[in-house]
Amino acid sequence: QPVLTQPPSASASLGASVTLTCTLSSGYKYYKVDWYQQRPGKGPRFVMRVGPGGYVGSKGDGIPDRFSVLGSGLNRSLIIKNIQEEDESDYHCGADHGSGSDFVVVFGGGTYLTVL
Amino acid sequence: QVQLQESGPGLVKPSETLSLTCTVSGGSISPNYWSWIRQSPGKGLEWIGYVYFSGSTSYNPSLQSRVTISLLTSKNQLSLRLTSVTASDTAVYYCARGGLAAQFDPWGQGTLVIVSS
């Protein structure tokens, strides 16, 4: 099964842009990854899915156009432009693997984004 | 709009069974996958397992021997049972729509379960 690696923290100034990266372990370059936003004290919410070719499917409800994704090699990135205070959150990536009795969902450790 | 709400005891003794319920409102259980996911304090997310509206299930291999997820279709609810709990099972437990090949959307607000004597 894949391992998803995320840096534990990131920071960006109000109005700036930031790229959060989720890196798949070797051998899983065709896998899609889902991004989730978790504001302090809240449950996660789905942002969007990204595959090796980029954006897949539809965004989560209420996700602004400032959020986009990029897929390149083993990296699945979430890009946030014109950062706002409400973007300060934990961002998790997740991917599923296998089928039937071998099915499993794995998550990265999460990246906490601080808005300066 | 589908909303999920977890409920159950906030404190469970070691070696006992953790039991939680998730109530789905604003939509039907079918034809969806429904998952339980947990988050230990200060840690990342861990998928526990899913149940399909047909009743079929799949569990995280690391928890498989202790977990049961089931549906109460008449009440639009799903349940989680985790046996022989230890302090390492202390976590916020979330239910979410999604599972096989589908993103988790939406999620409940989560319920904190502490395992302690």
Side-chain angles (χ1 to χ4, degrees):
Chain A
Q1 65 193 49
V3 174
L4 306 182
T5 301
Q6 300 181 253
S9 63
S11 62
S13 299
L14 201 62
S17 297
V18 69
T19 298
L20 307 179
T21 300
C22 173
T23 303
L24 290 152
S25 52
S26 178
Y28 296 97
K29 67 177 181 178
Y30 296 113
Y31 274 54
K32 306 181 195 69
V33 154
D34 295 323
W35 280 98
Y36 299 93
Q37 178 192 51
Q38 184 177 26
R39 289 178 171 143
K42 301 291 187 182
R45 72 163 173 166
F46 172 67
V47 179
M48 67 182 79
R49 173 169 286 188
V50 53
Y55 173 53
V56 178
S58 56
K59 287 183 179 180
D61 286 345
I63 299 299
D65 292 340
R66 304 183 290 103
F67 286 69
S68 62
V69 291
L70 177 67
S72 177
L74 293 171
N75 291 331
R76 304 289 181 264
S77 301
L78 178 66
I79 302 156
I80 310 173
K81 298 181 179 178
N82 186 23
I83 288 175
Q84 303 297 303
E85 287 184 2
E86 64 263 27
D87 298 334
E88 182 159 307
S89 302
D90 246 323
Y91 290 87
H92 305 274
C93 60
D96 61 55
H97 171 75
S99 61
S101 60
D102 293 329
F103 178 80
V104 68
V105 178
V106 294
F107 291 95
T111 297
Y112 191 79
L113 174 64
T114 300
V115 179
L116 304 172
Chain B
Q1 189 170 1
V2 173
Q3 293 185 309
L4 293 82
Q5 178 68 58
E6 304 88 348
S7 59
L11 181 65
V12 181
K13 290 182 167 54
S15 80
E16 295 190 345
T17 296
L18 179 161
S19 295
L20 297 175
T21 298
C22 173
T23 301
V24 179
S25 59
S28 174
I29 290 276
S30 63
N32 298 296
Y33 289 89
W34 302 92
S35 286
W36 285 96
I37 298 152
R38 70 181 183 179
Q39 185 173 31
S40 301
K43 300 286 182 62
L45 300 168
E46 180 180 29
W47 174 74
I48 299 170
Y50 74 63
V51 59
Y52 190 42
F53 80 101
S54 63
S56 64
T57 56
S58 180
Y59 302 128
N60 191 320
S62 67
L63 297 167
Q64 185 162 12
S65 63
R66 299 193 292 129
V67 174
T68 304
I69 298 176
S70 57
L71 289 175
L72 298 86
T73 308
S74 61
K75 294 186 176 182
N76 239 30
Q77 293 177 332
L78 60 152
S79 66
L80 169 70
R81 289 185 75 249
L82 182 66
T83 62
S84 305
V85 298
T86 67
S88 62
D89 294 309
T90 292
V92 175
Y93 286 77
Y94 298 97
C95 57
R97 182 176 59 186
L100 185 64
Q103 66 267 19
F104 300 117
D105 183 28
W107 298 58
Q109 67 183 29
T111 188
L112 173 62
V113 178
I114 296 172
V115 178
S116 175
S117 55

